[in-house]
Amino acid sequence: MRRRILQFGWFGGLANFAAFMVGTLYLGGDALNGKAVDGHYFLSNHGYLTEVSRAAFTYSEWHARSVFITHPLAMVCGWFLIRDTKLARSPKST
């Protein structure tokens, strides 16, 4: 059961990061580096701004923020998976 939860956390974080990257490429940037000015919304990709709708800006903002949670979660779950695998393979001392 523990291994399944860790696998879910690892894969979920990886999938969310991949979806964020695809969305960022498709939309032309992300909202955390972008800006909103006088009812116009811009995503930024290395300084290049792309104007988008408010809905796309809001989506990008929330998805980028979610990566700050799921990415570390995936790393921690991956670390526990590797540690548990190494412990299971190590010879038992009596």
Side-chain angles (χ1 to χ4, degrees):
M1 180 67 170
R2 171 187 161 100
R3 185 165 178 79
R4 290 281 183 213
I5 292 170
L6 292 172
Q7 288 172 336
F8 180 78
W10 179 81
F11 183 75
L14 181 67
N16 190 47
F17 182 72
F20 171 73
M21 293 303 296
V22 169
T24 298
L25 289 172
Y26 179 76
L27 292 173
D30 70 88
L32 293 184
N33 293 311
K35 60 184 174 181
V37 179
D38 296 328
H40 295 272
Y41 300 90
F42 301 92
L43 302 180
S44 178
N45 184 14
H46 299 284
Y48 179 78
L49 298 176
T50 303
E51 188 169 5
V52 295
S53 67
R54 181 178 180 185
F57 186 85
T58 301
Y59 157 76
S60 176
E61 184 176 27
W62 280 99
H63 200 165
R65 291 183 193 281
S66 75
V67 171
F68 286 113
I69 296 168
T70 60
H71 200 70
L73 175 68
M75 289 189 284
V76 169
C77 288
W79 181 81
F80 275 112
L81 283 167
I82 291 169
R83 188 190 73 148
D84 289 355
T85 301
K86 285 181 179 179
L87 288 175
R89 291 183 182 171
S90 67
K92 307 276 189 238
S93 61
T94 55

